[in-house]
Amino acid sequence: MAIDDRRATKEALEIGPSLEIVTTQDLVVSMIRENLLSIAEADDTKHLWSNRYRFHLRIKSFADLVRRNT
């Protein structure tokens, strides 16, 4: 299931504990790893989401996630 809302994620996992939860952050990292998106493009998009749509991610840069999970 692709979802970002923490409360909805918790409820979904209560209903279906075996569900795999995928977040926007997970999807962007996978796009970077598949060379569909650069880290700079992902970070620019993250800033756009934050400024225009009030969708905030708790990371400074996608580079931190890509390095941490390799």
Side-chain angles (χ1 to χ4, degrees):
M1 172 180 271
I3 192 167
D4 285 302
D5 183 279
R6 281 185 231 117
R7 185 179 298 156
T9 297
K10 182 180 176 184
E11 289 182 28
L13 288 172
E14 287 173 1
I15 294 167
S18 63
L19 281 174
E20 180 182 351
I21 303 297
V22 179
T23 65
T24 300
Q25 207 168 270
D26 298 328
L27 293 172
V28 172
V29 168
S30 68
M31 291 175 68
I32 292 168
R33 288 199 174 127
E34 294 293 325
N35 294 315
L36 299 172
L37 194 64
S38 71
I39 290 172
E41 291 168 326
D43 286 343
D44 287 346
T45 301
K46 181 183 91 61
H47 292 298
L48 175 72
W49 290 338
S50 181
N51 294 330
R52 189 176 293 174
Y53 304 107
R54 294 183 287 160
F55 177 72
H56 306 286
L57 297 175
R58 295 180 178 182
I59 57 169
K60 189 171 187 175
S61 169
F62 278 100
D64 300 330
L65 294 176
V66 172
R67 285 188 205 115
R68 182 176 11 165
N69 295 324
T70 52

